Amino acid sequence: MEKIPYVLLLLFSFTFSLHAQSNRFSVKGEVVDSLTNETVPYVTLSIAFAATPQNHVKLLASDEDGRFETTLTDEGNYVLSLQSIGKAPVKKLFSVSDSKKVADLGIILMQEDDQRLGEVTVTAQKPLVKIDIDKITYSLEDDPEAKTNTTLEMLRKVPMVTVDGEDQVQLKGSTNFKFYLNGKPSNMLSSNNASDVLKSMPASSVKNIEVITDPGAKYDAEGVGGIINIVTAKNALQGYTGTVNSDVSTQGSFGAGGNITTKAGKLGLTANYNYRRNNRPWGDYELERTNYGNFASTLKQSGRNKNTGPMQFGTLEASYELDTLNLISVGANLFNGNFKNRQELHSVFETQAAGAFPSYSYDQEGNTAQTFGSTDINVDLQHSTKKKDELLTLSYRFSYSPNDNESHTYLRNVLDVPYAYEYPKWNINDASTKEHTAQIDYTTPTVKDQTLEGGLKYIMRQSASETIERILNEQTNQWRDTLRPMRDFKHTQHIYSAYFTYTVKFNKFSAKAGVRAEGTALNVAYANEAEQNFKTNFFDIVPNATVSYQINMTQQIRFGYNMRISRPGIWYLNPYVNNSNPQNISYGNPNLESEKSHGFNLNYSMFTQKFNLNLNASYRFVNNSIEQYIFINDETGITESTYENLGKNQSAGFFVYARWNPIPLFNISFNGGLDYVDINSSRGISNNGFMGRGFLNAQFNLPAKINATIYGGYSSPWVQLQTKGSGYVFHGISVNKKLLKDKLTIGLSCNSPFQQYLKFSNTTDDPMFHQKNSSYYPMRELRLRVSYTFGTLKDSIKKVRRGITNDDAKSGGSSEGGGGTPVQ
């Protein structure tokens, strides 16, 4: 493990050497509007030899700040042609030679075109990926697939993000990250339901997706390996525009929704709403467990389950310019879901061990209804000064997240089951979280190309869980409560923090460093077990730093370090026992401590008009990681699952994103990586191994405005503390057609046409038992999507540039009492 960082450095050195000889000369400049003196973004540029101006040797586009830089292989005299909609074309002559390797054209002025534009053909597509000092941005509004795809499908194309066969999103091979919506955390994108929401969210309503791999000091110190920010707010202009969409699939799911953006004077509004009826067909399930020692036995279970239910979500954001220096923004996110799950299970338990349960068998039927959602309301007041880019922002956010479930479980065909008297069973769990956040942010330029940021923040978070377990007396037909200890609890956190960040740019170097001081006061109280109440306090100083070097306008190298901490969320802490499967129960652990992790990232990027490449090497270690722990209860012989701070976790990874666009009609992209995980626990359990994943996407821009895509993916077996999973492959195809002057888009897609089910197998080994369980996930699905855009816009809305971002709770866990997807 100690040699891994050096090997990765050698890989980067080899990459740089590939470009050392081929790029001898370069040209750069900045495009500015001659009237407003503002930069002109995404100008189409063509470079040709002056003697043959009709034969271009380079095609590119300026960035969003009007800057451009590209390399040339031959010396000589060139002509640069610039085109932008609404601007008069511009031509510039320049030359490069061995005595003048860099042609700096400085500021190039473009004037408004007073002639009415006819049809314009743009030969250079806007870049899909942009690199900043702390993030990578993928532009969905410039990707034609986004017209009919879902946001989840588009995530497969974002650098360092992968989506597996169960639609679980991973960032750099890990599920330990946070989703944001428009720069703010959103409970509707929590780990418990993110994939369902993203499948319901049309990509046409998303402007871009930001991957923040090096969270700075302005973000909460709690340990996320990164942040995926879904930016839905459009550049709303004077007037209005909107999109309506709908889809239906052969699995029985369907949905519809729309978004609208409008601006009238100083008031701008952005709203969207989506409804979806999810339907997952029956999927089979198998489990076989062998117990050793005093409880030597074999358990075999087979069954199936399905779930269905509606889900709806919407956002509303209003911005109003009080005057030229003050802006107020009010936003709300509403999310609600109501899923019903049906389960059928057949169990056979066999044993010859003395003192253990006798052999038995039974059939089980279960019905679970889960209601979940969130309400987020935020207010931001931004004050700017006559000093450019100096901002003071005052923010407040309230969030309420209920998460309730109710289940009925029945046993049939009972044969010698020792705990049959506990059935029929009726379980009710009411859980919720309320959160208030107040924040002050200040940013100001100090001297040229240097910026200071600072802020204060306070969070008050209250989580509560109340559990009722009832058993039916079939003789009296009356339900009676069973009183279990620690069944009701309240968890209160007071979090206070301050941060300081300084950014410096010097020629091609950029550096960003910061420090955050963060304290936490935690109080846990049990309604029926007061002796179990406890309080604790934490205080941490969390540093971070990032340095980047811009080799040229198309290449950059970046190195970053950040320290993170992760507080366990309510479903890690919730002691509620999920015993819907009586031989495999799960629950949370209210005594968990926060994780502390240290991460290092080395990133190289090269983005040209035809070829994009991003390489990322990372190393992270945690000395008290929260891991799922599975064991056999010494008294009952039942398998139990919970979470503990078990020990050390370290991982090293290498991730690749590449996109090649050889001709305008075709592009192909790859996104994937390989990482090595080494876990050692205080219980004497350890595990290690390699994990890899990859996604390949080929896109064809055909005549008659038809766009076709073929994709496929692979994931190797995954490794955790006690468990290793199986690998899998998936594939699909989609076709889109534009009609009615590109306002109407019709899409047809098929997921896994040659594979009806995807099998997932997990193997868990322990000195006391061996367990293997398999599930079959319905994959084959044909989906029809329709999208229609209406309206026009003419002037942009100003938006608040700072806001509240809470990323302090460790994601993961389960909505059913602590059992769920383990954390990687």
Side-chain angles (χ1 to χ4, degrees), residues 109-129:
L109 299 178
M110 295 192 77
Q111 299 179 347
E112 295 292 329
D113 191 352
D114 56 6
Q115 301 292 323
R116 183 174 295 274
L117 288 175
E119 183 176 352
V120 177
T121 301
V122 180
T123 56
Q125 183 185 354
K126 293 180 183 179
L128 294 179
V129 181

Side-chain angles (χ1 to χ4, degrees), residues 664-807:
L665 298 179
F666 171 75
N667 70 77
I668 187 170
S669 62
F670 172 80
N671 199 13
L674 178 70
D675 48 325
Y676 179 82
V677 178
D678 186 14
I679 309 172
N680 291 278
S681 80
S682 57
R683 292 182 176 271
I685 305 172
S686 63
N687 202 359
N688 59 70
F690 285 93
M691 298 186 296
R693 67 213 59 83
F695 177 78
L696 191 65
N697 185 95
Q699 181 176 310
F700 304 86
N701 299 313
L702 305 175
K705 297 184 178 179
I706 296 176
N707 173 270
T709 301
I710 300 174
Y711 64 87
Y714 168 77
S715 179
S716 69
W718 49 269
V719 178
Q720 292 189 310
L721 180 63
Q722 294 173 277
T723 306
K724 287 191 177 182
S726 60
Y728 55 87
V729 296
F730 59 93
H731 62 284
I733 184 171
S734 67
V735 180
N736 300 327
K737 165 69 176 174
K738 293 182 179 179
L739 300 163
L740 303 180
K741 297 182 179 181
D742 296 346
K743 290 183 177 294
L744 176 66
T745 304
I746 299 176
L748 185 65
S749 64
C750 186
N751 187 40
S752 296
F754 305 110
Q755 187 178 18
Q756 183 175 359
Y757 290 95
L758 191 60
K759 180 181 179 181
F760 293 91
S761 296
N762 302 326
T763 302
T764 303
D765 285 298
D766 182 85
M768 295 300 296
F769 71 96
H770 169 84
Q771 178 173 297
K772 180 179 180 180
N773 59 287
S774 301
S775 57
Y776 297 83
Y777 185 83
M779 287 292 292
R780 186 181 299 155
E781 181 181 26
L782 185 66
R783 186 178 296 274
L784 175 67
R785 300 184 178 98
V786 179
S787 174
Y788 181 76
T789 301
F790 59 89
T792 57
L793 295 167
K794 300 178 181 177
D795 186 24
S796 63
I797 284 180
K798 291 178 68 177
K799 294 190 63 181
V800 170
R801 293 161 61 182
R802 291 289 187 272
I804 289 173
T805 54
N806 292 351
D807 64 338

Side-chain angles (χ1 to χ4, degrees), residues 1 3-9 11-12 160 171-174 213-214 224-226 558-562 598-604 614-621 650-656 672-677 691 693:
M1 282 297 301
K3 297 181 179 180
I4 289 178
Y6 301 102
V7 175
L8 296 176
L9 284 171
L11 289 172
F12 277 105
M160 291 186 285
L171 176 57
K172 298 199 307 183
S174 173
T213 55
D214 295 300
V224 291
R558 182 177 80 243
F559 175 76
Y561 161 78
N562 61 72
H598 302 265
F600 301 86
N601 281 285
L602 182 61
N603 197 87
Y604 166 76
N614 189 81
L615 305 177
N616 179 273
S618 63
Y619 173 72
R620 180 172 294 276
F621 67 91
Q650 56 181 336
S651 62
F654 186 72
F655 305 89
V656 179
L674 178 70
D675 48 325
Y676 179 82
V677 178
M691 298 186 296
R693 67 213 59 83

Side-chain angles (χ1 to χ4, degrees), residues 424-646:
K425 183 177 294 185
W426 177 16
N427 284 0
I428 302 174
N429 180 229
D430 293 329
S432 65
T433 298
K434 294 180 181 179
E435 184 177 275
H436 298 268
T437 305
Q439 182 171 316
I440 301 175
D441 295 285
Y442 176 70
T443 178
T444 181
T446 52
V447 297
K448 182 180 179 181
D449 294 330
Q450 297 186 34
T451 303
L452 168 69
E453 293 180 88
L456 301 172
K457 186 175 185 178
Y458 168 73
I459 305 173
M460 194 273 284
R461 178 180 297 119
Q462 294 177 313
S463 299
S465 172
E466 296 182 359
T467 301
I468 299 175
E469 182 178 308
R470 291 172 177 168
I471 297 174
L472 179 64
N473 185 327
E474 295 183 303
Q475 293 180 348
T476 63
N477 201 33
Q478 297 292 319
W479 293 94
R480 63 177 178 86
D481 289 350
T482 61
L483 299 178
R484 295 188 183 274
M486 301 169 62
R487 67 176 190 169
D488 300 336
F489 82 104
K490 291 185 178 181
H491 173 221
T492 303
Q493 286 181 321
H494 298 276
I495 305 164
Y496 46 93
S497 59
Y499 75 91
F500 170 87
T501 298
Y502 202 80
T503 304
V504 178
K505 295 182 180 179
F506 179 73
N507 293 330
K508 294 186 176 184
F509 285 95
S510 296
K512 189 174 185 177
V515 64
R516 187 179 187 93
E518 189 158 299
T520 303
L522 181 148
N523 180 26
V524 177
Y526 295 94
N528 304 308
E529 298 285 332
E531 65 276 9
Q532 299 294 330
N533 296 352
F534 67 92
K535 298 180 180 180
T536 187
N537 294 278
F538 306 98
F539 184 79
D540 296 285
I541 301 294
V542 183
N544 66 85
T546 304
V547 179
S548 69
Y549 176 72
Q550 190 170 14
I551 303 171
N552 52 46
M553 282 295 292
T554 63
Q555 297 182 76
Q556 182 201 70
I557 184 172
R558 182 177 80 243
F559 175 76
Y561 161 78
N562 61 72
M563 174 185 169
R564 302 278 96 190
I565 58 179
S566 287
R567 298 185 185 93
I570 185 172
W571 290 117
Y572 283 89
L573 297 165
N574 191 353
Y576 163 66
V577 178
N578 175 17
N579 55 8
S580 59
N581 185 340
Q583 282 294 319
N584 293 275
I585 66 174
S586 58
Y587 48 88
N589 179 2
N591 299 313
L592 290 174
E593 298 177 354
S594 298
E595 288 184 352
K596 291 185 179 181
S597 65
H598 302 265
F600 301 86
N601 281 285
L602 182 61
N603 197 87
Y604 166 76
S605 60
M606 179 185 70
F607 293 95
T608 66
Q609 195 62 35
K610 290 189 176 182
F611 184 68
N612 297 343
L613 178 66
N614 189 81
L615 305 177
N616 179 273
S618 63
Y619 173 72
R620 180 172 294 276
F621 67 91
V622 183
N623 289 327
N624 66 334
S625 62
I626 297 175
E627 302 288 348
Q628 188 181 44
Y629 174 57
I630 303 172
F631 63 97
I632 299 292
N633 188 300
D634 291 338
E635 297 180 358
T636 65
I638 293 175
T639 302
E640 300 187 15
S641 172
T642 187
Y643 299 96
E644 291 190 10
N645 295 97
L646 286 175

Side-chain angles (χ1 to χ4, degrees), residues 260-276:
I260 187 168
T261 302
T262 181
K263 186 182 181 192
K266 295 182 178 182
L267 176 65
L269 294 172
T270 301
N272 71 74
Y273 171 81
N274 286 274
Y275 173 89
R276 183 167 190 80

Side-chain angles (χ1 to χ4, degrees), residues 8 55 93 175 323 347 367 391 422 456 504 630 686 769 789:
L8 296 176
N55 299 326
L93 295 174
T175 58
D323 51 45
S347 295
N367 295 284
L391 295 172
E422 296 185 359
L456 301 172
V504 178
I630 303 172
S686 63
F769 71 96
T789 301

Side-chain angles (χ1 to χ4, degrees), residues 52 116 130 209 280 290 310 332 354 361 380 416 420 483 733 743:
T52 56
R116 183 174 295 274
K130 177 188 173 184
I209 297 175
R280 180 176 294 180
T290 302
S361 65
D380 302 288
D416 297 329
L483 299 178
I733 184 171
K743 290 183 177 294

